[in-house]
Amino acid sequence: MQKQAQQHLKSLNEALDVLAKYTLPVDTRGALLLTRQRLKQFERSLQSPKQDGLQAVYRIAQSLGTTLNLDEVLNHVMDAVIELTGAERGFLTLVDEDTGQLSLQVARNIARETLAHADMQVSRTVIQSVVEKGEGVVTTDAQSDPRFAGQESVIFYDLRSILCAPLKVRGKIIGVIYVDNRAKSGIFGRENLDLLSVFAAQAAVAIENARLYTQTDQALAARVKELETLSQIDHDLNAHLDFERVLGLVRNWATKSTDGLESWVFISGEDVDALMLADGPMDGATPSPALSDVASFLDKPTPQTLSPQDKNITYLIAPLLHAGKTVGALAISREKDFSEVEIQFVQRLASRAATSIANNRLYQAVEQANRSKSQFLAIVTHELRIPLTSIKGYTDLILSGSAGAEVTDLQRQFLGVIRKNVNRMADLIADLADISRIERGILKLDVEDVSIIQCLQDTLDSLRHKIEERNQTLVVKKSDIPPVEADPKRVVQILTNLISNAWKYTPDGGMITIAVFEQKDTVRIDIQDTGIGISPEDQTKLFSQFFRSENQAVRDQNGWGLGLNVTKQLVEMLAGEIGFTSQLGEGSTFWFTLPLTHLAKNEGETDE
Ligand code: ADP
């Protein structure tokens, strides 16, 4: 129609051109000009359907970019194609990236099942040809179209006119758009295909973007899920120091996260050949993989699958590598194969399991070393205490003159040095013996209702003369304090350690202030001094065994660096707390609390 009209227009214009060559009266010339203008307008109006179509394409294409939801984009595209082409029905298929096959995504007025029917054979052939050639197809009458002649199904074919265009992104076909019309309701022309192709190019980009976005979104969600699982695994593995428990957890996670049947953990000693099964299911439904098979995978950097011919299962065997060393292997059984994603996950799980197993072994080794150290301390302190007691006894005996001959001044001086050093040794042995008992869990506490004021009195009785010797001022702030629940001997030991430190590390003429007061359900004792104070760096090391500050003022005093460690452990064993504040060069305050007896607590509650 359009073509014919354009042909006529062309002839008319040529005729007008011929007329224009003649000298014509002004009126006729005017009429000629007007006719030319009218013809031009008519010509433009003939072109406008296509222009309208293009405008519609751009309008619809613009709205495609408003969503990245793949389903929404596909439906939008399908509706737009029906609108643009005026088709009765249609569908959109996309190439499945895994299988390479086309899979139906959306359809209008065609049921999914219908597509497999014999009368859709022509449609399928059209789609096939579009995919193969990468170009759109328009059939005006499929029955008479030579491209589809010979199709048996054409008899069923309801004289359909088909329009089909590829969805291409960077030259690659990602899908196909198909629409058709019964011949009587409208036959598609070339211009419909042009329009559809223009739209398909833009639709393909929108679909690809949505697909990529969905993939990234899914991949991200999967990664986040995996990280959550791994962090849960880390948490579980690090929460337990019991070796058996760690092995059980590793197996549990391995089976659970791969949907496997069963899992086994193999451990190798220092010698990789000494591989052995460390943990596996009690009454396993599947046999464990052969030790020799597992051993042959130990030097592989990544998990490997093993499918024994005589068994209907596949094993995934992951070496447990820690710091470049194989500590064992993790094996999982399953009826079907493991996916690449699962293998990668198991590799991550194996690396965590290996670290946890290595740490656990280290912990066991340290524990063992600690036990040996405590036993060694117990023996040494016991063996030293006896000779020391006798050295001390004989020294005192000689000094008192009871040993016979008179002691000269020089000898008295030497004996004094011996006594002082024996006392130092005795202090060290007492502290070491306490540490050994605490670590072995055999320190006995005789807990009773204790008057903290009485304990303080006893402590000060033995320390007061030392404090006076150095001209230090002692201030004690106390009021009526209810009894605490504690071992009086240990309370005196705690007070002696802390007040001795205040005395040792406060220069002559300084001040020691002791305050005893109730705090919630406890009694708190503060021992404040105006001494040398503790540097922020030293503060982080306080309470650790054998720590002594490098400060010369500290080195000038006797000590082994064990007092605070023992003190802290005793306070905590008595259900109290200990702490300190300190300013270098200004002084320190050490404090500790002890729980009030139940009696005192109950009275407090009824009073309220
Ligand atoms: P010792 O006094 O035998 O060295 P402690 O375990 O009692 O061992 O104390 C450890 C270290 O803590 C001391 O060597 C000293 O450096 C520091 N310290 C403890 N109490 C005080 C204090 N009141 N003032 C300053 N430094 C202190």
Side-chain angles (χ1 to χ4, degrees), residues 501 504-505 529 534 542 547-549 554 559-561 563-564 588:
N501 278 351
K504 279 199 288 187
Y505 304 119
D529 64 51
I534 305 163
L542 229 55
F547 168 73
R548 300 203 77 206
S549 169
V554 169
W560 298 102
L564 281 185
S588 317

Side-chain angles (χ1 to χ4, degrees), residues 10-21:
K10 203 172 162 223
S11 318
L12 267 170
N13 269 321
E14 279 166 6
L16 289 176
D17 285 344
V18 175
L19 266 175
K21 285 188 184 138

